[in-house]
Amino acid sequence: MRLLATWLINALALLALPYLLSSITINSFTTALLVAVVLGFVNTVIRPILLILTLPVTVLSLGLFILVINGLMFWAVASMFDGFHVAGFWSAVIGALLYSVISWTLSTLLLSKNEST
């Protein structure tokens, strides 16, 4: 049940992005659900591999290169779907950052564990 809630929260975070950035568009809730699945897969499988491969650059940039990796992955996923469009690299970096913040905030607010048990 928690996985389904996280999936829906990520889709809602994607739907919020066009209201914050005009350079990102998403056509429908169905597209947002599909993009959320693919982004979850990319972040689970491909991101750790890229982080290991780019570790020297990440260390030299004091971790800022992770923003570039996140932006490139966000942009790559956007290129896979017709209903999800990101205008360029910097839009992807800012979009990935906003997506992470919105998703984290919603998850923290909505999926808080019951501390009374």
Side-chain angles (χ1 to χ4, degrees), residues 1 8 14 24 31 41 52-54 83 85-86 88 98-99 114:
M1 192 66 176
L8 290 173
L14 279 169
I24 295 177
T31 304
F41 175 78
I52 290 171
L53 291 175
T54 61
H85 178 72
V86 177
L98 286 173
Y99 171 71
N114 241 348

Side-chain angles (χ1 to χ4, degrees), residues 21-86:
L21 290 173
S22 62
S23 57
I24 295 177
T25 58
I26 193 155
N27 289 346
S28 67
F29 185 68
T30 306
T31 304
L33 288 172
L34 292 173
V35 171
V37 168
V38 174
L39 272 174
F41 175 78
V42 165
N43 283 332
T44 303
V45 176
I46 297 172
R47 184 175 185 260
I49 296 168
L50 287 176
L51 288 178
I52 290 171
L53 291 175
T54 61
L55 188 60
V57 177
T58 303
V59 170
L60 287 175
S61 69
L62 302 175
L64 292 176
F65 195 70
I66 293 174
L67 294 174
V68 173
I69 292 172
N70 289 342
L72 288 174
M73 290 188 315
F74 194 78
W75 200 13
V77 170
S79 69
M80 294 179 197
F81 293 93
D82 289 333
F84 182 48
H85 178 72
V86 177

Side-chain angles (χ1 to χ4, degrees), residues 1-10 111:
M1 192 66 176
R2 188 170 174 89
L3 181 64
L4 181 62
T6 304
W7 180 36
L8 290 173
I9 286 171
N10 288 339
L111 297 178

